[in-house]
Amino acid sequence: MPGPAEPSLAERRALLRQALAIVSGSRRLIRGKIARGFSTKTKADESLVTDADLAAERFLRRELSRRFPDHGIIGEEFAPANAGSDFLWTIDPIDGTLSFARGIPLYGTILALHHRGRPVLGVIDHPSLGECYSAARGLGAALNGRRIRLQDLGPGEKVEREVVATGDRMHFLKCGRARDFDRLMRRHPQVRSYADCFGHTLAARGAVGAMVDFGIRLWDMAASQVLIEEAGGRYACLLSPPPGDLGQGFYGIVCGKPAVVDWLLPLFGRTKR
Amino acid sequence: MPGPAEPSLAERRALLRQALAIVSGSRRLIRGKIARGFSTKTKADESLVTDADLAAERFLRRELSRRFPDHGIIGEEFAPANAGSDFLWTIDPIDGTLSFARGIPLYGTILALHHRGRPVLGVIDHPSLGECYSAARGLGAALNGRRIRLQDLGPGEKVEREVVATGDRMHFLKCGRARDFDRLMRRHPQVRSYADCFGHTLAARGAVGAMVDFGIRLWDMAASQVLIEEAGGRYACLLSPPPGDLGQGFYGIVCGKPAVVDWLLPLFGRTKR
């Protein structure tokens, strides 16, 4: 029996509207936690989790299940639900918990929807910055509802003048790519770590030339392809686990302005398109 | 003839009040530039300058000269004035112009006052974050007027779990310290670039364990010693130009939680205190 068909443009628009409504709720919840205080614990893998992470994921799951009872949900903090569904939501309630726990405003909530592995929509919300990035396939990308479109380098513009953002070196190390990180640092003069989804949204609006992120999980990057491509950028996945990954495997991606992504790909063993 | 005596506690309090009033004016000016738009140029040294940098420095100089006609002023964008004075103000109107020009909210205005080379007060304002850090010697450090006091590591807490912030590698390279940067990246698992004064204020409130910044100028670091020390942190200057520097030479500093600074110093060829 075939599953549900790919959503139409009108359906994608409606799904995005719902996703944005849900994320405005998680933003309120997270801001409330900041105002009232939250507790922090260290997980088995030595990463941090706060009760704001848990409460936000519970909220997002509850809202998604209520609105889309047939859809699957994968999230960072709880077990997958209905993961065999054609429609699969991924949740990172607080990407950048280390930042969040220290009061650094550069964390974000990531929500994405895929249909049979193909991205339908993606939302990255930065509650403390008041910036919500969203995109759905064929509908463009937006920041707080206003269309964003990133500008590729012009003829005279040099890749060396663009900032290349990266995730933390320790994440490259985790998936055996520390050497790639070190090579990038030597080859490009303007590499800055903009950890977590903040680097992805900087790339989506062209504030940096590109973002290079390795050693991340499904929910860390699930929104980025549609966000970057709908903004007019280029997205390349350079490392991915075998099909069927539900958050166990590591990904590596490069995304941003086409000319900068093309310059970066050979450093990571890929030829330009 | 001896110059004016070192300012008393009451005088330092009054000077700080005036500095904060002046910076609230530059904040308004900078926010106005963001709202109305600004132009960007590349300077001879390939760094960026916007008309917001120039307008903010002009504003700060005008306010300082009006209130303190005998004091000297050194700033990033214009020539020194009255630089032989016992009281010397340093200005970086927009530290992190690259961020500012790209709409990344992590730039800041830095204003500091020294008396015969000894810090009297320091202010770092982040207009887009709405965060103003300030300190005067003997009067503590504050964020938006509320006292901040950074907590050193407790007995069971590991330096490896603390984030070590750095400036851009290209600045280390400029002063021949790229090797120190690379060594730090290999030795500590949680190094992140938090470029410009944003890394300094993160260190002042203990959001990161320490900030390591090399290849910076006088006005980039002039506020940091008093801010960090008054917050209860440790500050070490590891590289400085000959006395009498008016902004030509490079500095290198490490500052933050005492235990983290002590851990870092040997990596840069210094023994612990």
Side-chain angles (χ1 to χ4, degrees):
Chain A
M1 198 176 69
E6 210 177 0
S8 68
L9 203 64
E11 285 166 338
R12 295 199 293 274
R13 188 175 287 120
L15 285 162
L16 180 60
R17 206 162 33 231
Q18 299 225 49
L20 287 169
I22 293 172
V23 167
S24 81
S26 62
R27 177 190 279 202
R28 267 195 306 278
L29 185 154
I30 289 167
R31 286 180 169 177
K33 288 283 181 187
I34 293 172
R36 289 188 306 275
F38 52 83
S39 65
T40 304
K41 277 185 291 198
T42 303
K43 290 193 280 192
D45 67 354
E46 297 256 295
S47 68
L48 294 178
V49 65
T50 73
D51 60 352
D53 294 77
L54 302 175
E57 183 162 330
R58 267 191 222 103
F59 170 84
L60 291 164
R61 281 174 177 261
R62 197 168 54 235
E63 287 295 313
L64 291 170
S65 323
R66 187 170 68 74
R67 294 168 194 243
F68 312 107
D70 300 334
H71 292 189
I73 304 177
I74 297 179
E76 183 172 10
E77 308 300 345
F78 300 101
N82 199 13
S85 167
D86 278 349
F87 282 100
L88 199 56
W89 293 89
T90 61
I91 298 171
D92 193 344
I94 297 182
D95 181 52
T97 302
L98 179 60
S99 294
F100 177 75
R102 307 281 171 115
I104 303 174
L106 312 180
Y107 67 92
T109 299
I110 308 173
L111 183 63
L113 174 62
H114 287 71
H115 177 265
R116 297 190 190 173
R118 203 174 169 208
V120 175
L121 66 85
V123 178
I124 301 180
D125 185 50
H126 298 301
S128 292
L129 297 176
E131 293 183 359
C132 183
Y133 294 80
S134 62
R137 203 152 40 76
L139 290 167
L143 162 55
N144 294 340
R146 278 177 67 173
R147 190 72 176 259
I148 52 172
R149 192 181 285 284
L150 67 78
Q151 193 118 37
D152 199 10
L153 298 194
E157 293 182 293
K158 291 182 199 162
V159 170
E160 288 76 9
R161 302 298 310 257
E162 294 288 308
V163 173
V164 172
T166 70
D168 290 338
R169 186 179 185 273
M170 69 182 291
H171 293 296
F172 286 72
L173 191 63
K174 271 194 320 206
C175 62
R177 305 295 285 257
R179 196 174 293 186
D180 289 319
F181 180 91
D182 296 338
R183 187 189 308 123
L184 172 61
M185 291 296 281
R186 287 193 310 270
R187 292 280 183 84
H188 193 281
Q190 293 257 32
V191 179
R192 285 184 176 178
S193 53
Y194 283 115
D196 313 314
C197 57
F198 185 61
H200 298 230
T201 56
L202 288 180
R205 67 177 168 90
V208 297
M211 172 69 174
V212 184
D213 212 358
F214 273 78
I216 55 176
R217 305 282 183 178
L218 178 60
W219 41 77
D220 295 320
M221 47 67 81
S224 298
Q225 180 176 0
V226 63
L227 190 58
I228 293 284
E229 290 182 346
E230 288 297 323
R234 187 158 295 165
Y235 172 95
C237 185
L238 302 183
L239 172 69
S240 58
D245 172 62
L246 300 178
Q248 307 92 331
F250 287 128
Y251 292 80
I253 68 164
V254 177
C255 60
K257 299 180 183 179
V260 182
V261 171
D262 282 350
W263 186 93
L264 287 165
L265 289 178
L267 288 187
F268 296 88
R270 279 285 182 92
T271 47
K272 287 186 205 186
R273 280 203 258 185
Chain B
M1 199 177 69
E6 211 177 359
S8 67
L9 204 64
E11 286 166 336
R12 295 199 292 275
R13 189 174 285 119
L15 284 162
L16 180 61
R17 206 162 31 230
Q18 300 224 50
L20 287 169
I22 293 171
V23 167
S24 80
S26 63
R27 177 190 279 202
R28 265 195 307 278
L29 185 154
I30 289 167
R31 286 181 169 176
K33 287 284 181 185
I34 293 172
R36 289 187 307 276
F38 52 84
S39 65
T40 305
K41 276 185 294 200
T42 303
K43 291 194 281 191
D45 67 355
E46 296 255 295
S47 68
L48 293 178
V49 65
T50 72
D51 60 354
D53 295 76
L54 302 175
E57 183 161 330
R58 268 191 221 102
F59 170 85
L60 291 165
R61 283 174 176 260
R62 198 167 55 234
E63 287 295 312
L64 291 170
S65 323
R66 189 170 67 75
R67 295 169 193 242
F68 313 107
D70 300 334
H71 292 190
I73 304 175
I74 297 179
E76 182 171 9
E77 308 299 345
F78 300 102
N82 200 12
S85 169
D86 279 348
F87 283 100
L88 199 55
W89 293 88
T90 60
I91 298 171
D92 193 343
I94 296 181
D95 181 53
T97 302
L98 179 60
S99 294
F100 176 75
R102 308 281 171 115
I104 303 175
L106 311 180
Y107 67 93
T109 300
I110 309 174
L111 183 63
L113 174 62
H114 285 71
H115 177 266
R116 296 189 190 174
R118 204 172 168 211
V120 175
L121 66 84
V123 178
I124 301 179
D125 184 50
H126 298 301
S128 292
L129 297 176
E131 294 184 358
C132 182
Y133 293 80
S134 62
R137 203 151 41 75
L139 290 168
L143 162 56
N144 294 340
R146 278 176 67 171
R147 190 72 175 261
I148 52 173
R149 193 180 283 284
L150 66 78
Q151 193 118 37
D152 200 8
L153 299 193
E157 293 182 293
K158 292 183 198 159
V159 170
E160 288 76 10
R161 302 299 310 255
E162 295 287 309
V163 172
V164 172
T166 71
D168 290 338
R169 186 179 186 272
M170 67 183 291
H171 293 296
F172 286 71
L173 190 62
K174 271 194 319 203
C175 62
R177 305 296 285 255
R179 199 175 293 187
D180 289 318
F181 180 92
D182 295 338
R183 188 188 309 122
L184 172 61
M185 291 298 280
R186 286 193 311 269
R187 293 279 183 85
H188 194 281
Q190 292 258 32
V191 179
R192 284 184 176 179
S193 54
Y194 283 115
D196 314 314
C197 57
F198 185 61
H200 296 231
T201 57
L202 289 180
R205 66 177 169 90
V208 298
M211 171 69 174
V212 184
D213 212 359
F214 273 78
I216 56 177
R217 305 284 183 177
L218 178 60
W219 41 76
D220 295 320
M221 48 69 81
S224 297
Q225 180 175 0
V226 63
L227 190 59
I228 292 286
E229 290 182 346
E230 289 296 324
R234 188 157 294 164
Y235 172 95
C237 185
L238 303 183
L239 171 69
S240 59
D245 171 62
L246 299 177
Q248 308 92 331
F250 287 128
Y251 292 80
I253 69 165
V254 177
C255 60
K257 300 181 182 178
V260 182
V261 172
D262 282 350
W263 185 93
L264 287 164
L265 289 179
L267 288 188
F268 295 88
R270 279 284 182 90
T271 47
K272 286 186 202 186
R273 281 202 257 188

